[in-house]
Tab-separated table of all heavy atoms in Angstrom:
chain	number	residue	atom	x	y	z
R	711	MET	N	-10.239	14.865	-9.077
R	711	MET	CA	-10.636	13.699	-8.300
R	711	MET	C	-10.612	14.095	-6.820
R	711	MET	O	-9.633	14.633	-6.323
R	711	MET	CB	-9.671	12.555	-8.591
R	711	MET	CG	-10.097	11.230	-8.032
R	711	MET	SD	-8.992	9.914	-8.574
R	711	MET	CE	-10.153	8.911	-9.443
R	712	SER	N	-11.679	13.809	-6.122
R	712	SER	CA	-11.759	14.210	-4.721
R	712	SER	C	-10.953	13.264	-3.831
R	712	SER	O	-10.591	12.160	-4.229
R	712	SER	CB	-13.217	14.232	-4.266
R	712	SER	OG	-13.706	12.926	-4.124
R	713	SER	N	-10.694	13.738	-2.614
R	713	SER	CA	-9.916	12.925	-1.682
R	713	SER	C	-10.677	11.658	-1.289
R	713	SER	O	-10.065	10.614	-1.068
R	713	SER	CB	-9.543	13.744	-0.455
R	713	SER	OG	-10.696	14.251	0.175
R	714	ASN	N	-12.011	11.752	-1.223
R	714	ASN	CA	-12.799	10.551	-0.909
R	714	ASN	C	-12.615	9.484	-1.979
R	714	ASN	O	-12.506	8.295	-1.675
R	714	ASN	CB	-14.281	10.900	-0.785
R	714	ASN	CG	-14.599	11.624	0.493
R	714	ASN	OD1	-13.801	11.637	1.424
R	714	ASN	ND2	-15.750	12.255	0.529
R	715	SER	N	-12.580	9.908	-3.224
R	715	SER	CA	-12.402	8.963	-4.331
R	715	SER	C	-11.023	8.322	-4.288
R	715	SER	O	-10.882	7.132	-4.568
R	715	SER	CB	-12.587	9.669	-5.664
R	715	SER	OG	-13.885	10.192	-5.767
R	716	LEU	N	-10.011	9.110	-3.952
R	716	LEU	CA	-8.656	8.565	-3.874
R	716	LEU	C	-8.535	7.525	-2.766
R	716	LEU	O	-7.909	6.476	-2.952
R	716	LEU	CB	-7.649	9.684	-3.650
R	716	LEU	CG	-7.397	10.609	-4.829
R	716	LEU	CD1	-6.470	11.750	-4.432
R	716	LEU	CD2	-6.824	9.841	-6.005
R	717	VAL	N	-9.134	7.813	-1.621
R	717	VAL	CA	-9.103	6.862	-0.509
R	717	VAL	C	-9.848	5.587	-0.894
R	717	VAL	O	-9.367	4.475	-0.645
R	717	VAL	CB	-9.689	7.502	0.772
R	717	VAL	CG1	-9.909	6.457	1.845
R	717	VAL	CG2	-8.785	8.606	1.270
R	718	LEU	N	-11.003	5.733	-1.517
R	718	LEU	CA	-11.775	4.564	-1.947
R	718	LEU	C	-10.988	3.743	-2.968
R	718	LEU	O	-10.931	2.510	-2.883
R	718	LEU	CB	-13.112	5.000	-2.545
R	718	LEU	CG	-14.011	3.882	-3.052
R	718	LEU	CD1	-14.394	2.936	-1.912
R	718	LEU	CD2	-15.233	4.451	-3.717
R	719	LEU	N	-10.346	4.413	-3.916
R	719	LEU	CA	-9.554	3.725	-4.926
R	719	LEU	C	-8.385	2.965	-4.298
R	719	LEU	O	-8.102	1.822	-4.670
R	719	LEU	CB	-9.037	4.730	-5.950
R	719	LEU	CG	-8.281	4.165	-7.136
R	719	LEU	CD1	-9.197	3.299	-7.980
R	719	LEU	CD2	-7.718	5.298	-7.959
R	720	ALA	N	-7.732	3.578	-3.322
R	720	ALA	CA	-6.608	2.915	-2.642
R	720	ALA	C	-7.088	1.677	-1.890
R	720	ALA	O	-6.442	0.624	-1.942
R	720	ALA	CB	-5.934	3.896	-1.687
R	721	CYS	N	-8.209	1.784	-1.209
R	721	CYS	CA	-8.740	0.636	-0.460
R	721	CYS	C	-9.181	-0.485	-1.399
R	721	CYS	O	-8.966	-1.669	-1.113
R	721	CYS	CB	-9.895	1.080	0.426
R	721	CYS	SG	-9.380	2.139	1.790
R	722	LEU	N	-9.784	-0.116	-2.511
R	722	LEU	CA	-10.191	-1.132	-3.484
R	722	LEU	C	-8.982	-1.830	-4.104
R	722	LEU	O	-9.019	-3.045	-4.335
R	722	LEU	CB	-11.046	-0.506	-4.581
R	722	LEU	CG	-12.467	-0.133	-4.183
R	722	LEU	CD1	-13.164	0.605	-5.322
R	722	LEU	CD2	-13.259	-1.356	-3.783
R	723	ALA	N	-7.917	-1.086	-4.353
R	723	ALA	CA	-6.704	-1.692	-4.900
R	723	ALA	C	-6.136	-2.726	-3.926
R	723	ALA	O	-5.730	-3.819	-4.339
R	723	ALA	CB	-5.664	-0.616	-5.199
R	724	VAL	N	-6.135	-2.399	-2.639
R	724	VAL	CA	-5.657	-3.341	-1.623
R	724	VAL	C	-6.537	-4.590	-1.622
R	724	VAL	O	-6.036	-5.720	-1.604
R	724	VAL	CB	-5.634	-2.683	-0.228
R	724	VAL	CG1	-5.361	-3.717	0.851
R	724	VAL	CG2	-4.603	-1.581	-0.183
R	725	ALA	N	-7.847	-4.398	-1.665
R	725	ALA	CA	-8.777	-5.534	-1.630
R	725	ALA	C	-8.611	-6.428	-2.851
R	725	ALA	O	-8.632	-7.665	-2.735
R	725	ALA	CB	-10.213	-5.028	-1.527
R	726	VAL	N	-8.440	-5.834	-4.022
R	726	VAL	CA	-8.286	-6.628	-5.251
R	726	VAL	C	-7.014	-7.473	-5.199
R	726	VAL	O	-7.034	-8.667	-5.502
R	726	VAL	CB	-8.292	-5.709	-6.495
R	726	VAL	CG1	-7.813	-6.440	-7.733
R	726	VAL	CG2	-9.681	-5.141	-6.715
R	727	VAL	N	-5.915	-6.867	-4.788
R	727	VAL	CA	-4.657	-7.616	-4.716
R	727	VAL	C	-4.747	-8.712	-3.656
R	727	VAL	O	-4.252	-9.826	-3.859
R	727	VAL	CB	-3.469	-6.667	-4.457
R	727	VAL	CG1	-2.191	-7.437	-4.194
R	727	VAL	CG2	-3.284	-5.736	-5.639
R	728	LEU	N	-5.403	-8.417	-2.541
R	728	LEU	CA	-5.595	-9.436	-1.507
R	728	LEU	C	-6.392	-10.620	-2.054
R	728	LEU	O	-6.000	-11.780	-1.871
R	728	LEU	CB	-6.311	-8.840	-0.297
R	728	LEU	CG	-6.727	-9.821	0.791
R	728	LEU	CD1	-5.514	-10.480	1.422
R	728	LEU	CD2	-7.560	-9.122	1.846
R	729	LEU	N	-7.478	-10.341	-2.741
R	729	LEU	CA	-8.297	-11.420	-3.301
R	729	LEU	C	-7.541	-12.211	-4.360
R	729	LEU	O	-7.654	-13.438	-4.409
R	729	LEU	CB	-9.592	-10.851	-3.878
R	729	LEU	CG	-10.597	-10.357	-2.844
R	729	LEU	CD1	-11.779	-9.693	-3.538
R	729	LEU	CD2	-11.069	-11.496	-1.962
R	730	LEU	N	-6.772	-11.532	-5.197
R	730	LEU	CA	-5.980	-12.247	-6.205
R	730	LEU	C	-4.968	-13.186	-5.544
R	730	LEU	O	-4.776	-14.319	-6.003
R	730	LEU	CB	-5.252	-11.255	-7.112
R	730	LEU	CG	-6.098	-10.492	-8.122
R	730	LEU	CD1	-5.255	-9.437	-8.831
R	730	LEU	CD2	-6.740	-11.432	-9.118
R	731	GLY	N	-4.340	-12.723	-4.482
R	731	GLY	CA	-3.388	-13.571	-3.768
R	731	GLY	C	-4.054	-14.770	-3.119
R	731	GLY	O	-3.533	-15.890	-3.171
R	732	LEU	N	-5.213	-14.536	-2.522
R	732	LEU	CA	-5.926	-15.638	-1.881
R	732	LEU	C	-6.421	-16.655	-2.895
R	732	LEU	O	-6.333	-17.867	-2.664
R	732	LEU	CB	-7.101	-15.092	-1.060
R	732	LEU	CG	-6.720	-14.323	0.199
R	732	LEU	CD1	-7.962	-13.697	0.831
R	732	LEU	CD2	-6.010	-15.219	1.181
R	733	VAL	N	-6.934	-16.178	-4.027
R	733	VAL	CA	-7.394	-17.093	-5.073
R	733	VAL	C	-6.226	-17.912	-5.602
R	733	VAL	O	-6.355	-19.129	-5.813
R	733	VAL	CB	-8.086	-16.303	-6.214
R	733	VAL	CG1	-8.271	-17.166	-7.445
R	733	VAL	CG2	-9.419	-15.753	-5.732
R	734	ASN	N	-5.088	-17.275	-5.793
R	734	ASN	CA	-3.911	-18.003	-6.272
R	734	ASN	C	-3.495	-19.090	-5.283
R	734	ASN	O	-3.163	-20.203	-5.687
R	734	ASN	CB	-2.755	-17.027	-6.513
R	734	ASN	CG	-1.558	-17.707	-7.126
R	734	ASN	OD1	-1.672	-18.351	-8.154
R	734	ASN	ND2	-0.420	-17.575	-6.475
R	735	MET	N	-3.520	-18.774	-4.000
R	735	MET	CA	-3.143	-19.778	-2.990
R	735	MET	C	-4.156	-20.912	-2.936
R	735	MET	O	-3.786	-22.074	-2.822
R	735	MET	CB	-3.023	-19.133	-1.609
R	735	MET	CG	-1.755	-18.343	-1.421
R	735	MET	SD	-1.416	-17.853	0.282
R	735	MET	CE	-2.916	-17.100	0.813
R	736	MET	N	-5.446	-20.590	-2.998
R	736	MET	CA	-6.486	-21.614	-2.892
R	736	MET	C	-6.484	-22.554	-4.094
R	736	MET	O	-6.816	-23.726	-3.965
R	736	MET	CB	-7.855	-20.963	-2.724
R	736	MET	CG	-8.019	-20.325	-1.363
R	736	MET	SD	-9.502	-19.315	-1.134
R	736	MET	CE	-10.776	-20.253	-1.877
R	737	ARG	N	-6.119	-22.054	-5.254
R	737	ARG	CA	-6.080	-22.886	-6.452
R	737	ARG	C	-4.781	-23.675	-6.566
R	737	ARG	O	-4.598	-24.434	-7.512
R	737	ARG	CB	-6.236	-22.020	-7.694
R	737	ARG	CG	-7.627	-21.485	-7.872
R	737	ARG	CD	-7.766	-20.808	-9.192
R	737	ARG	NE	-9.147	-20.385	-9.376
R	737	ARG	CZ	-9.579	-19.742	-10.430
R	737	ARG	NH1	-8.741	-19.453	-11.404
R	737	ARG	NH2	-10.829	-19.387	-10.520
R	738	GLY	N	-3.890	-23.463	-5.633
R	738	GLY	CA	-2.619	-24.180	-5.672
R	738	GLY	C	-1.678	-23.605	-6.708
R	738	GLY	O	-0.854	-24.329	-7.267
R	739	GLY	N	-1.786	-22.307	-6.942
R	739	GLY	CA	-0.925	-21.656	-7.922
R	739	GLY	C	0.499	-21.530	-7.413
R	739	GLY	O	0.861	-22.027	-6.340
R	740	SER	N	1.272	-20.848	-8.177
R	740	SER	CA	2.687	-20.663	-7.865
R	740	SER	C	2.850	-19.914	-6.548
R	740	SER	O	2.237	-18.864	-6.334
R	740	SER	CB	3.364	-19.886	-8.986
R	740	SER	OG	4.650	-19.476	-8.598
R	741	ALA	N	3.677	-20.447	-5.686
R	741	ALA	CA	3.947	-19.777	-4.409
R	741	ALA	C	4.692	-18.475	-4.642
R	741	ALA	O	4.540	-17.519	-3.882
R	741	ALA	CB	4.760	-20.706	-3.506
R	742	ASN	N	5.473	-18.424	-5.702
R	742	ASN	CA	6.214	-17.213	-6.039
R	742	ASN	C	5.262	-16.063	-6.392
R	742	ASN	O	5.439	-14.941	-5.939
R	742	ASN	CB	7.140	-17.500	-7.213
R	742	ASN	CG	8.435	-16.749	-7.120
R	742	ASN	OD1	8.753	-16.175	-6.088
R	742	ASN	ND2	9.173	-16.768	-8.215
R	743	VAL	N	4.252	-16.359	-7.190
R	743	VAL	CA	3.256	-15.348	-7.571
R	743	VAL	C	2.479	-14.898	-6.344
R	743	VAL	O	2.239	-13.706	-6.149
R	743	VAL	CB	2.300	-15.910	-8.647
R	743	VAL	CG1	1.138	-14.958	-8.892
R	743	VAL	CG2	3.053	-16.175	-9.936
R	744	SER	N	2.101	-15.842	-5.514
R	744	SER	CA	1.362	-15.512	-4.301
R	744	SER	C	2.180	-14.607	-3.383
R	744	SER	O	1.660	-13.635	-2.822
R	744	SER	CB	0.972	-16.799	-3.573
R	744	SER	OG	0.133	-16.510	-2.493
R	745	GLN	N	3.454	-14.910	-3.260
R	745	GLN	CA	4.343	-14.098	-2.421
R	745	GLN	C	4.468	-12.680	-2.967
R	745	GLN	O	4.441	-11.709	-2.226
R	745	GLN	CB	5.711	-14.770	-2.323
R	745	GLN	CG	6.678	-14.077	-1.420
R	745	GLN	CD	6.319	-14.247	0.047
R	745	GLN	OE1	5.334	-14.854	0.416
R	745	GLN	NE2	7.134	-13.673	0.895
R	746	LYS	N	4.597	-12.555	-4.287
R	746	LYS	CA	4.696	-11.232	-4.906
R	746	LYS	C	3.411	-10.436	-4.706
R	746	LYS	O	3.451	-9.227	-4.458
R	746	LYS	CB	5.009	-11.366	-6.397
R	746	LYS	CG	6.430	-11.762	-6.667
R	746	LYS	CD	6.709	-11.860	-8.147
R	746	LYS	CE	8.135	-12.326	-8.385
R	746	LYS	NZ	8.459	-12.436	-9.792
R	747	LEU	N	2.267	-11.108	-4.820
R	747	LEU	CA	0.993	-10.419	-4.611
R	747	LEU	C	0.847	-9.951	-3.172
R	747	LEU	O	0.341	-8.854	-2.916
R	747	LEU	CB	-0.172	-11.334	-5.007
R	747	LEU	CG	-0.385	-11.528	-6.496
R	747	LEU	CD1	-1.384	-12.647	-6.752
R	747	LEU	CD2	-0.837	-10.246	-7.153
R	748	MET	N	1.278	-10.758	-2.232
R	748	MET	CA	1.164	-10.348	-0.828
R	748	MET	C	2.122	-9.194	-0.515
R	748	MET	O	1.786	-8.293	0.261
R	748	MET	CB	1.439	-11.535	0.098
R	748	MET	CG	0.335	-12.579	0.080
R	748	MET	SD	-1.271	-11.909	0.547
R	748	MET	CE	-2.258	-12.312	-0.875
R	749	ARG	N	3.280	-9.184	-1.150
R	749	ARG	CA	4.194	-8.052	-0.962
R	749	ARG	C	3.600	-6.776	-1.567
R	749	ARG	O	3.719	-5.694	-0.989
R	749	ARG	CB	5.546	-8.348	-1.588
R	749	ARG	CG	6.347	-9.337	-0.797
R	749	ARG	CD	7.682	-9.612	-1.434
R	749	ARG	NE	8.405	-10.602	-0.643
R	749	ARG	CZ	9.446	-11.272	-1.079
R	749	ARG	NH1	9.896	-11.061	-2.303
R	749	ARG	NH2	10.045	-12.150	-0.305
R	750	LEU	N	2.972	-6.915	-2.730
R	750	LEU	CA	2.307	-5.778	-3.350
R	750	LEU	C	1.176	-5.274	-2.461
R	750	LEU	O	0.966	-4.065	-2.328
R	750	LEU	CB	1.779	-6.167	-4.737
R	750	LEU	CG	1.012	-5.094	-5.497
R	750	LEU	CD1	1.887	-3.870	-5.744
R	750	LEU	CD2	0.481	-5.658	-6.805
R	751	ARG	N	0.451	-6.196	-1.835
R	751	ARG	CA	-0.637	-5.810	-0.925
R	751	ARG	C	-0.105	-4.993	0.233
R	751	ARG	O	-0.685	-3.966	0.589
R	751	ARG	CB	-1.367	-7.043	-0.399
R	751	ARG	CG	-2.482	-6.695	0.580
R	751	ARG	CD	-3.042	-7.933	1.249
R	751	ARG	NE	-2.029	-8.735	1.927
R	751	ARG	CZ	-1.604	-8.506	3.167
R	751	ARG	NH1	-2.062	-7.506	3.866
R	751	ARG	NH2	-0.696	-9.293	3.711
R	752	VAL	N	1.001	-5.406	0.808
R	752	VAL	CA	1.585	-4.669	1.930
R	752	VAL	C	1.998	-3.265	1.480
R	752	VAL	O	1.745	-2.286	2.188
R	752	VAL	CB	2.785	-5.446	2.529
R	752	VAL	CG1	3.555	-4.591	3.510
R	752	VAL	CG2	2.299	-6.722	3.194
R	753	LEU	N	2.598	-3.156	0.302
R	753	LEU	CA	2.983	-1.845	-0.221
R	753	LEU	C	1.753	-0.968	-0.440
R	753	LEU	O	1.743	0.215	-0.074
R	753	LEU	CB	3.760	-2.008	-1.527
R	753	LEU	CG	4.137	-0.716	-2.235
R	753	LEU	CD1	5.122	0.091	-1.395
R	753	LEU	CD2	4.699	-1.015	-3.607
R	754	LEU	N	0.713	-1.539	-1.034
R	754	LEU	CA	-0.508	-0.766	-1.271
R	754	LEU	C	-1.179	-0.360	0.040
R	754	LEU	O	-1.728	0.738	0.141
R	754	LEU	CB	-1.486	-1.569	-2.135
R	754	LEU	CG	-1.093	-1.710	-3.600
R	754	LEU	CD1	-2.050	-2.659	-4.318
R	754	LEU	CD2	-1.056	-0.365	-4.289
R	755	GLN	N	-1.129	-1.215	1.044
R	755	GLN	CA	-1.679	-0.850	2.348
R	755	GLN	C	-0.914	0.321	2.944
R	755	GLN	O	-1.515	1.235	3.497
R	755	GLN	CB	-1.618	-2.030	3.318
R	755	GLN	CG	-2.719	-3.015	3.139
R	755	GLN	CD	-2.610	-4.165	4.123
R	755	GLN	OE1	-1.516	-4.683	4.364
R	755	GLN	NE2	-3.720	-4.563	4.669
R	756	PHE	N	0.399	0.306	2.820
R	756	PHE	CA	1.220	1.403	3.321
R	756	PHE	C	0.832	2.703	2.631
R	756	PHE	O	0.624	3.730	3.278
R	756	PHE	CB	2.702	1.090	3.107
R	756	PHE	CG	3.610	2.236	3.426
R	756	PHE	CD1	3.838	2.599	4.747
R	756	PHE	CD2	4.227	2.953	2.413
R	756	PHE	CE1	4.677	3.660	5.056
R	756	PHE	CE2	5.067	4.011	2.711
R	756	PHE	CZ	5.288	4.367	4.040
R	757	LEU	N	0.721	2.659	1.304
R	757	LEU	CA	0.355	3.857	0.554
R	757	LEU	C	-1.057	4.334	0.906
R	757	LEU	O	-1.304	5.543	1.015
R	757	LEU	CB	0.471	3.592	-0.944
R	757	LEU	CG	1.879	3.336	-1.458
R	757	LEU	CD1	1.853	2.950	-2.937
R	757	LEU	CD2	2.770	4.534	-1.224
R	758	ALA	N	-1.970	3.393	1.108
R	758	ALA	CA	-3.345	3.761	1.476
R	758	ALA	C	-3.375	4.436	2.845
R	758	ALA	O	-4.080	5.432	3.041
R	758	ALA	CB	-4.240	2.533	1.462
R	759	ILE	N	-2.607	3.922	3.783
R	759	ILE	CA	-2.566	4.523	5.123
R	759	ILE	C	-1.974	5.924	5.058
R	759	ILE	O	-2.499	6.859	5.679
R	759	ILE	CB	-1.783	3.622	6.097
R	759	ILE	CG1	-2.597	2.373	6.396
R	759	ILE	CG2	-1.443	4.366	7.382
R	759	ILE	CD1	-1.837	1.309	7.142
R	760	ILE	N	-0.901	6.084	4.289
R	760	ILE	CA	-0.300	7.413	4.125
R	760	ILE	C	-1.312	8.371	3.500
R	760	ILE	O	-1.462	9.523	3.941
R	760	ILE	CB	0.981	7.336	3.272
R	760	ILE	CG1	2.052	6.519	3.981
R	760	ILE	CG2	1.495	8.728	2.923
R	760	ILE	CD1	2.515	7.097	5.296
R	761	LEU	N	-2.024	7.917	2.493
R	761	LEU	CA	-3.034	8.749	1.835
R	761	LEU	C	-4.153	9.130	2.802
R	761	LEU	O	-4.558	10.297	2.873
R	761	LEU	CB	-3.606	8.013	0.621
R	761	LEU	CG	-4.699	8.736	-0.150
R	761	LEU	CD1	-4.136	9.981	-0.806
R	761	LEU	CD2	-5.316	7.819	-1.176
R	762	ILE	N	-4.646	8.171	3.563
R	762	ILE	CA	-5.715	8.437	4.526
R	762	ILE	C	-5.248	9.433	5.582
R	762	ILE	O	-5.970	10.378	5.929
R	762	ILE	CB	-6.211	7.124	5.167
R	762	ILE	CG1	-6.936	6.280	4.120
R	762	ILE	CG2	-7.106	7.405	6.370
R	762	ILE	CD1	-7.190	4.859	4.547
R	763	MET	N	-4.032	9.236	6.078
R	763	MET	CA	-3.505	10.180	7.079
R	763	MET	C	-3.357	11.571	6.485
R	763	MET	O	-3.646	12.575	7.155
R	763	MET	CB	-2.164	9.680	7.606
R	763	MET	CG	-2.274	8.458	8.491
R	763	MET	SD	-0.690	7.739	8.950
R	763	MET	CE	0.158	9.102	9.668
R	764	GLY	N	-2.929	11.659	5.233
R	764	GLY	CA	-2.802	12.944	4.578
R	764	GLY	C	-4.137	13.638	4.403
R	764	GLY	O	-4.253	14.852	4.612
R	765	VAL	N	-5.152	12.893	4.042
R	765	VAL	CA	-6.498	13.471	3.863
R	765	VAL	C	-7.024	13.957	5.206
R	765	VAL	O	-7.582	15.055	5.298
R	765	VAL	CB	-7.449	12.427	3.220
R	765	VAL	CG1	-8.889	12.896	3.328
R	765	VAL	CG2	-7.059	12.194	1.784
R	766	VAL	N	-6.850	13.176	6.261
R	766	VAL	CA	-7.313	13.598	7.585
R	766	VAL	C	-6.583	14.856	8.023
R	766	VAL	O	-7.198	15.801	8.538
R	766	VAL	CB	-7.127	12.448	8.612
R	766	VAL	CG1	-7.340	12.946	10.030
R	766	VAL	CG2	-8.068	11.306	8.298
R	767	TRP	N	-5.264	14.905	7.806
R	767	TRP	CA	-4.488	16.086	8.187
R	767	TRP	C	-4.929	17.304	7.390
R	767	TRP	O	-5.106	18.385	7.935
R	767	TRP	CB	-3.009	15.817	7.959
R	767	TRP	CG	-2.153	17.016	8.213
R	767	TRP	CD1	-1.752	17.491	9.418
R	767	TRP	CD2	-1.621	17.899	7.237
R	767	TRP	NE1	-0.979	18.618	9.248
R	767	TRP	CE2	-0.890	18.891	7.902
R	767	TRP	CE3	-1.684	17.933	5.840
R	767	TRP	CZ2	-0.238	19.916	7.243
R	767	TRP	CZ3	-1.031	18.942	5.184
R	767	TRP	CH2	-0.324	19.930	5.884
R	768	TRP	N	-5.138	17.131	6.070
R	768	TRP	CA	-5.510	18.229	5.207
R	768	TRP	C	-6.889	18.789	5.577
R	768	TRP	O	-7.093	19.996	5.589
R	768	TRP	CB	-5.502	17.755	3.758
R	768	TRP	CG	-5.824	18.824	2.763
R	768	TRP	CD1	-5.088	19.913	2.473
R	768	TRP	CD2	-6.980	18.884	1.915
R	768	TRP	NE1	-5.711	20.643	1.506
R	768	TRP	CE2	-6.877	20.047	1.153
R	768	TRP	CE3	-8.087	18.053	1.768
R	768	TRP	CZ2	-7.835	20.402	0.222
R	768	TRP	CZ3	-9.042	18.410	0.831
R	768	TRP	CH2	-8.910	19.580	0.084
R	769	ARG	N	-7.818	17.918	5.929
R	769	ARG	CA	-9.164	18.359	6.297
R	769	ARG	C	-9.200	19.026	7.662
R	769	ARG	O	-10.078	19.840	7.923
R	769	ARG	CB	-10.133	17.189	6.274
R	769	ARG	CG	-10.466	16.768	4.866
R	769	ARG	CD	-11.549	15.755	4.854
R	769	ARG	NE	-11.884	15.396	3.475
R	769	ARG	CZ	-12.752	14.482	3.162
R	769	ARG	NH1	-13.385	13.819	4.111
R	769	ARG	NH2	-12.998	14.215	1.910
R	770	SER	N	-8.287	18.665	8.534
R	770	SER	CA	-8.293	19.261	9.871
R	770	SER	C	-7.605	20.622	9.896
R	770	SER	O	-7.756	21.371	10.857
R	770	SER	CB	-7.624	18.334	10.874
R	770	SER	OG	-6.245	18.239	10.609
R	771	ALA	N	-6.835	20.917	8.868
R	771	ALA	CA	-6.087	22.192	8.831
R	771	ALA	C	-6.965	23.369	8.475
R	771	ALA	O	-7.974	23.319	7.918
R	771	ALA	CB	-4.933	22.082	7.845
């Protein structure tokens, strides 16, 4: 799997979790589920940023 694919996959994972959280909030779902989804989104964003920085560093070396 190429680094471009990994970065794309990480960004898509963040977007999917974000949309799931927003849909849950808009439908009046459980605040607990919404909170867990937003925490997962933050974790996935952190991992995506680390991955992107790693790819940039690896390509510049």
Side-chain angles (χ1 to χ4, degrees):
M711 190 174 241
S712 73
S713 57
N714 286 345
S715 298
L716 289 175
V717 169
L718 179 61
L719 185 64
C721 291
L722 286 174
V724 171
V726 167
V727 172
L728 173 64
L729 289 175
L730 287 174
L732 290 173
V733 166
N734 185 54
M735 283 192 309
M736 289 171 43
R737 288 188 176 179
S740 169
N742 215 12
V743 171
S744 187
Q745 184 72 358
K746 286 181 183 180
L747 286 169
M748 289 302 123
R749 286 180 181 164
L750 178 60
R751 178 189 56 85
V752 169
L753 176 65
L754 288 173
Q755 279 180 318
F756 172 73
L757 294 174
I759 289 170
I760 295 298
L761 178 66
I762 292 167
M763 289 173 55
V765 167
V766 169
W767 175 79
W768 182 66
R769 286 188 178 176
S770 68

